[in-house]
Amino acid sequence: MAGVNRNTTDQLRATLQDAILKCSERCLYQSAKWAAELSTSLPSTENLSFSSDTEPNSPMQDVESSTPAVSVVISANPDPAEARLEAQEIHKYLLAKSYFDCREYERCAAVFLPSGLPRAPLSAASPNVQTRSPSRHTKGKAKDTYPVNVIRSIPPRDMLPYISQKSLFLALYAKYMAGEKKKDEDSEMILGPVDGGSTINRELVGISRSLEGWFAARGNEGSSGGWLEYLYGIVLAKGKNEEDAKRWFIRSVHIFPFNWGAWLELSELLGSVEDLQRIIPDLPRNIMTLMFLLYSNQELHQSGEQVHNNLTELEKVFPESQFLKTQRALLFYHSKDFEEAESIFSSIIHTDPHRVDSLDHYSNILYVMNARPKLAFLAQLATATDKFRPETCCVVGNYYSLKSEHEKAVMYFRRALTLDRNFLSAWTLMGHEYVEMKNTHAAIESYRRAVDVNRKDYRAWYGLGQTYEVLEMHLYALFYYQRAASLRPYDPKMWQAVGSCYDKIGRPLQSIKAYKRALVAGTYYDASSSFGSGTTSQGPPSGVMDPETLYQVALMYEKLNDLDEAASYMEMTLAQEDGFTSNPEDGDEEEEIRGPGTGVTNTTSKARMWLARWEFGRGGLKRAMELANELCQDGVEVEEAKALIRDLRARMEAERG
């Protein structure tokens, strides 16, 4: 991919333009927009020199042009039978599409489909309706089952009208959107008294049975161009039948790889890097797979060198792609390199000031950096562009949160969720605000809903741990912290929280292991975190271990009555003031390397006091006096240091006498 010639670029541009048209015809607007942005990011291959004598502005220029104009109003279908059906029903298709564009989804579906498609609750196990014999004995509340009259009203699978695949997709997709619209209308107020987040799309059963019948009737004879496979994957994913959904999405992208929506749905079903590695052999070998792998790694917070190299290769093909620039900014964001991420987002805003996509992430970066003027400007810019986008509401909410106006921040996050109940950032950020407001019940519910939307969001798992820790339910907190640490194994903040919980439930050995894991993780990330109320907690300088973590390890050894090991970690804590680290080389020789230290902190002063008392207890009076005098100079715990000095002098005088 190092060099892309003109023919390859032209072919890729034509393929993307075809994808734009096909996605638009099926009302997949986000996929069409993504493909359009990618198409325009390709390098220009136009020949600006004129080989004829005709003037550039002459009316004869168009006559002399050798490239014929191509109509892109309706895409051509290579299948003659399908092309004939599409031509016969073009007037109905245009009518149905106009209804869809006006958000009249039921009318759109009714143009092609009979109105007898069933409405029934969707099973949590599968989107398929199964006629099960009721259990003889039930206890407690009876579980919801499908009414008999609803099941009988489901038409046979071969009762679909004989229409083109494009029209069938549009009709079934309109049914799906009608169900989503009705689900939103039936949903209660965000976090209201009866808002359990359990409202379902009642159209999924009928769509599932219709698609099952369509595929069963055709067997392996052909496909729908990847579109009905994509829709069936959505239905299966909504029914929590994730393995089958992955299989159908993979089948869809094999047939038509430029439907970005199918790749996004597939990415949402991946809960870990292992899940991603498992499906890679089944994916097609093309540039869209590289895009998918980049996006999925970014969503899984993988920001290694290989991911950056793959992104660089893609940028050679699409040098002006805002999507790829955004992915690089998010990779830096996950690596805690906030300055670099902010710089990239700033350049994106400068290039395309009306782009609202991913501005919620940019506002998170500005929030962590405590860049209030820039965040205020971003909020004004987003509001002027589109004030009723969830991203805009999150930007404004972050601005008010940075001003410590948490009630206003919650109001904007709730507004974002009213616009899109599956907008992950709003649930997580609203949970942070409720923590600040000491409303633990609402915070827990917000974080739970965030996890329901995306189980890969480590911030929501960490937030749940924080909230349960406030409630002193440490076993619950430990479980959620462990989930967060599994998603961010190289983030010291996660392991410090795990170690703290193990300490509070009386398991010091496990606490020591977790704290040592945090020390190792500190070599990958800075100790700063995006949690808190607008301030960035600065960690130790690069190459210096975190004194607080070392101090906690020492305290755990003290609880195990291993005072010698505790003292060695207290000494290591003190060494971080000057940035000394010891690297054993060649046997017993040690080379001390000095770097920028942390200076005197409360933690190092507490370690100095502990060491002074320990030396006093074992008779090291001279060393104890030195440490106590240093404490008096530090200005921390001065009274205790003076009291210790008096005891030391009395002990020394007694020994002399």
Side-chain angles (χ1 to χ4, degrees):
M1 198 185 293
V4 181
N5 57 34
R6 173 171 178 168
N7 290 336
T8 304
T9 302
D10 289 341
Q11 183 180 1
L12 189 55
R13 180 179 285 107
T15 304
L16 285 169
Q17 289 174 350
D18 180 63
I20 297 165
L21 192 57
K22 288 181 177 178
C23 291
S24 298
E25 288 174 355
R26 291 160 179 83
C27 302
L28 302 175
Y29 301 122
Q30 294 298 325
S31 296
K33 183 182 78 170
W34 184 87
E37 290 181 347
L38 205 63
S39 175
T40 57
S41 70
L42 285 166
S44 176
T45 58
E46 295 179 358
N47 187 1
L48 300 180
S49 64
F50 296 93
S51 58
S52 67
D53 296 334
T54 308
E55 292 295 329
N57 296 326
S58 170
M60 292 301 293
Q61 179 190 359
D62 295 335
V63 178
E64 294 183 358
S65 176
S66 60
T67 304
V70 179
S71 173
V72 292
V73 177
I74 298 294
S75 63
N77 196 313
D79 187 346
E82 284 296 316
R84 186 165 52 252
L85 282 174
E86 290 178 8
Q88 291 173 356
E89 61 198 26
I90 183 63
H91 59 291
K92 283 189 174 183
Y93 164 77
L94 293 174
L95 175 65
K97 189 174 185 304
S98 66
Y99 287 151
F100 194 104
D101 293 340
C102 294
R103 297 174 58 87
E104 299 182 36
Y105 304 122
E106 293 281 5
R107 293 185 73 187
C108 172
V111 172
F112 292 110
L113 295 181
S115 58
L117 282 179
R119 290 181 180 180
L122 183 65
S123 167
S126 169
N128 309 325
V129 174
Q130 299 177 359
T131 54
R132 301 173 182 172
S133 58
S135 58
R136 296 179 181 177
H137 302 286
T138 58
K139 294 182 180 181
K141 293 183 179 180
K143 294 182 179 179
D144 294 336
T145 57
Y146 298 110
V148 176
N149 60 340
V150 172
I151 297 177
R152 290 177 179 172
S153 69
I154 297 176
R157 294 179 174 182
D158 57 353
M159 290 298 292
L160 285 174
Y162 185 63
I163 57 177
S164 67
Q165 295 171 9
K166 182 165 70 175
S167 298
L168 179 61
F169 175 88
L170 181 61
L172 292 177
Y173 186 54
K175 275 287 183 184
Y176 169 77
M177 292 301 296
E180 290 293 297
K181 182 180 178 183
K182 188 69 169 63
K183 183 182 76 171
D184 290 340
E185 292 170 353
D186 292 342
S187 299
E188 297 292 334
M189 181 181 66
I190 301 295
L191 295 186
V194 291
D195 177 28
S198 58
T199 312
I200 58 170
N201 184 339
R202 301 177 67 87
E203 300 288 351
L204 294 180
V205 171
I207 299 172
S208 174
R209 288 181 63 87
S210 299
L211 289 172
E212 286 174 1
W214 192 91
F215 288 118
R218 282 152 183 79
N220 296 324
E221 296 178 1
S223 69
S224 69
W227 304 103
L228 292 177
E229 288 85 352
Y230 163 61
L231 182 57
Y232 192 38
I234 292 177
V235 173
L236 290 169
K238 289 287 185 179
K240 307 299 182 184
N241 201 342
E242 296 185 355
E243 291 304 317
D244 285 343
K246 290 178 188 177
R247 181 166 55 85
W248 282 95
F249 285 134
I250 292 173
R251 181 174 173 180
S252 173
V253 298
H254 268 281
I255 301 169
F256 187 75
F258 284 88
N259 176 15
W260 182 240
W263 294 104
L264 288 180
E265 294 288 345
L266 180 59
S267 179
E268 289 183 4
L269 297 177
L270 304 177
S272 65
V273 179
E274 290 73 21
D275 290 345
L276 176 61
Q277 296 296 329
R278 201 174 297 122
I279 68 168
I280 287 179
D282 300 326
L283 298 176
R285 299 293 182 266
N286 54 41
I287 196 169
M288 290 300 293
T289 299
L290 295 179
M291 285 279 189
F292 166 74
L293 293 177
L294 167 66
Y295 177 81
S296 297
N297 278 304
Q298 180 272 122
E299 286 290 300
L300 292 167
H301 312 295
Q302 302 299 306
S303 54
E305 183 179 355
Q306 183 61 42
V307 179
H308 280 279
N309 291 339
N310 292 340
L311 176 54
T312 301
E313 291 298 316
L314 285 170
E315 286 179 331
K316 293 178 182 178
V317 183
F318 305 101
E320 300 300 325
S321 172
Q322 306 296 341
F323 170 78
L324 293 179
K325 292 179 181 178
T326 301
Q327 296 307 301
R328 189 177 293 280
L330 292 176
L331 289 175
F332 283 123
Y333 172 43
H334 296 322
S335 301
K336 304 297 181 70
D337 190 348
F338 300 123
E339 288 77 11
E340 190 66 31
E342 193 278 330
S343 175
I344 296 174
F345 269 118
S346 180
S347 67
I348 293 174
I349 291 294
H350 185 267
T351 304
D352 189 357
H354 302 296
R355 177 185 170 91
V356 182
D357 298 340
S358 299
L359 284 190
D360 53 315
H361 297 297
Y362 186 25
S363 69
N364 290 341
I365 294 169
L366 296 177
Y367 179 94
V368 174
M369 296 175 67
N370 203 18
R372 184 168 164 179
K374 286 187 177 180
L375 186 53
F377 169 75
L378 185 65
Q380 291 178 342
L381 181 64
T383 303
T385 302
D386 188 349
K387 67 188 301 183
F388 294 109
R389 280 279 294 271
E391 294 90 343
T392 300
C393 296
C394 284
V395 171
V396 179
N398 268 335
Y399 171 70
Y400 281 116
S401 177
L402 192 57
K403 293 177 64 180
S404 298
E405 298 183 24
H406 302 298
E407 291 80 4
K408 281 190 176 181
V410 167
M411 180 184 72
Y412 276 95
F413 294 141
R414 291 170 72 100
R415 182 179 295 177
L417 292 168
T418 302
L419 296 168
D420 182 1
R421 281 180 176 259
N422 292 324
F423 197 71
L424 173 66
S425 292
W427 283 117
T428 305
L429 293 172
M430 189 164 69
H432 296 344
E433 295 309 303
Y434 279 127
V435 169
E436 295 289 343
M437 296 165 63
K438 312 301 182 190
N439 188 344
T440 54
H441 176 76
I444 289 172
E445 186 61 26
S446 298
Y447 289 135
R448 287 192 187 281
R449 298 288 280 276
V451 169
D452 290 341
V453 172
N454 185 355
R455 58 181 179 269
K456 301 188 290 288
D457 183 20
Y458 75 94
R459 299 174 303 166
W461 292 111
Y462 186 88
L464 280 168
Q466 276 188 318
T467 311
Y468 277 110
E469 195 170 19
V470 170
L471 296 174
E472 297 185 358
M473 301 173 70
H474 301 299
L475 284 174
Y476 282 88
L478 176 62
F479 170 78
Y480 293 118
Y481 282 143
Q482 287 174 328
R483 292 297 299 267
S486 67
L487 291 169
R488 296 275 287 182
Y490 297 116
D491 193 335
K493 187 88 171 180
M494 308 297 121
W495 293 108
Q496 289 166 358
V498 172
S500 174
C501 277
Y502 273 128
D503 176 25
K504 290 173 182 175
I505 63 176
R507 298 169 67 178
L509 276 176
Q510 287 81 0
S511 179
I512 289 172
K513 292 179 181 179
Y515 281 127
K516 288 183 177 180
R517 187 76 181 266
L519 292 173
V520 174
T523 62
Y524 292 89
Y525 291 120
D526 292 333
S528 59
S529 177
S530 58
F531 296 99
S533 56
T535 59
T536 305
S537 58
Q538 297 295 332
S542 177
V544 176
M545 290 185 286
D546 183 23
E548 180 62 30
T549 306
L550 291 169
Y551 180 71
Q552 292 300 326
V553 173
L555 292 182
M556 293 304 102
Y557 278 116
E558 184 183 19
K559 288 185 178 182
L560 293 172
N561 292 321
D562 190 348
L563 297 182
D564 291 336
E565 193 69 19
S568 67
Y569 273 91
M570 289 295 183
E571 293 285 1
M572 291 173 65
T573 304
L574 280 186
Q576 307 314 306
E577 288 184 345
D578 299 321
F580 281 109
T581 57
S582 297
N583 294 330
E585 294 179 358
D586 299 329
D588 296 330
E589 295 182 3
E590 290 190 357
E591 178 185 359
E592 285 192 337
I593 301 174
R594 180 166 184 166
T598 63
V600 177
T601 65
N602 286 332
T603 301
T604 58
S605 294
K606 287 188 288 186
R608 185 173 279 108
M609 175 59 75
W610 189 95
L611 284 170
R613 288 173 175 165
W614 181 67
E615 292 285 359
F616 177 70
R618 69 173 192 161
L621 303 183
K622 183 178 179 181
R623 170 70 170 152
M625 182 64 75
E626 292 176 358
L627 292 169
N629 286 326
E630 289 175 2
L631 276 170
C632 292
Q633 296 173 3
D634 293 344
V636 181
E637 300 189 17
V638 176
E639 296 302 323
E640 293 186 26
K642 289 181 178 179
L644 181 60
I645 289 174
R646 287 193 293 269
D647 293 341
L648 284 167
R649 287 174 177 170
R651 178 83 170 268
M652 290 177 178
E653 290 175 359
E655 288 184 357
R656 291 193 196 101

